[in-house]
Amino acid sequence: GGTFEKHIPELQQHYHLMMMKGVSYQDEHKHAASALAAILGGGDGSRLHWALIDTGLAEAAATSIDTNDGYGEQLAYAVCNPSSAEQVADILRTEMANVASSITEEDLLKVLAKAATGAAVSSERPAGRMQRLGSMLTTSGEYVSLEDELATIQSLKIQDLQEVAELYPWDPLF
């Protein structure tokens, strides 16, 4: 944990980047973690979009997870005017703290449809299939068919996302 600040006088924007411990590639919760990150800050319609971008407080705001071999991280960021930096940071923390308790069935259905479509589309081209296969075999040593992976994604429930939020809270390391 810790904080880092770099002031660049000619820069007219403030950048927030928050990191948290996350799921590894091998963790059974990786799909739930990805779905939760998408609900929180996965673009248009996400919690951060409505709280920060739609209100005009930030130019950009997003969350993501990065699953690696044996470790992972969760990332949240926002870009805003320096005069709004403190307010944006407070809203980021509030949205991260409340996401698990406010998930709706509609949130889940939207994010699952997007994830399943993304997985299927990326596997349509040979390069996409080979990248998925190579990543899977070098990181876990196991093969999971696209159909099985899609079934796992589609079987996620709100409780799965809440469970992963308890195991890997969206609580920045300071």
Side-chain angles (χ1 to χ4, degrees), residues 15-85:
Y15 295 82
H16 288 287
L17 175 62
M18 299 177 182
M19 292 181 70
M20 289 118 313
K21 181 180 175 183
V23 299
S24 71
Y25 184 87
Q26 295 85 357
D27 194 313
E28 65 183 26
H29 297 96
K30 67 183 172 189
H31 295 298
S34 182
L36 185 61
I39 290 169
L40 180 57
D44 292 350
S46 70
R47 303 292 163 80
L48 294 184
H49 173 85
W50 293 116
L52 295 172
I53 297 169
D54 191 63
T55 61
L57 287 171
E59 288 181 34
T63 57
S64 64
I65 66 164
D66 192 8
T67 60
N68 296 289
D69 187 12
Y71 75 97
E73 64 244 359
Q74 300 177 142
L75 303 167
Y77 80 89
V79 180
C80 64
N81 187 302
S83 64
S84 305

Side-chain angles (χ1 to χ4, degrees), residues 15-162:
Y15 295 82
H16 288 287
L17 175 62
M18 299 177 182
M19 292 181 70
M20 289 118 313
K21 181 180 175 183
V23 299
S24 71
Y25 184 87
Q26 295 85 357
D27 194 313
E28 65 183 26
H29 297 96
K30 67 183 172 189
H31 295 298
S34 182
L36 185 61
I39 290 169
L40 180 57
D44 292 350
S46 70
R47 303 292 163 80
L48 294 184
H49 173 85
W50 293 116
L52 295 172
I53 297 169
D54 191 63
T55 61
L57 287 171
E59 288 181 34
T63 57
S64 64
I65 66 164
D66 192 8
T67 60
N68 296 289
D69 187 12
Y71 75 97
E73 64 244 359
Q74 300 177 142
L75 303 167
Y77 80 89
V79 180
C80 64
N81 187 302
S83 64
S84 305
E86 191 172 318
Q87 182 181 10
V88 167
D90 289 343
I91 292 171
L92 267 170
R93 287 187 195 97
T94 299
E95 292 297 326
M96 290 188 304
N98 295 332
V99 67
S101 63
S102 63
I103 301 169
T104 66
E105 195 65 35
E106 182 181 355
D107 292 331
L108 184 61
L109 292 175
K110 285 179 185 177
V111 78
L112 294 183
K114 185 176 179 181
T117 301
V121 168
S122 70
S123 289
E124 286 182 357
R125 289 191 226 131
R129 287 191 299 275
M130 293 309 292
Q131 183 177 11
R132 179 180 176 274
L133 181 61
S135 175
M136 184 184 314
L137 293 176
T138 58
T139 327
S140 70
E142 297 177 7
Y143 172 74
V144 177
S145 71
L146 179 60
E147 292 78 15
D148 288 345
E149 186 172 7
L150 290 173
T152 299
I153 291 169
Q154 292 299 325
S155 72
L156 290 174
K157 305 286 182 248
I158 290 174
Q159 295 80 4
D160 299 321
L161 278 64
Q162 292 169 330

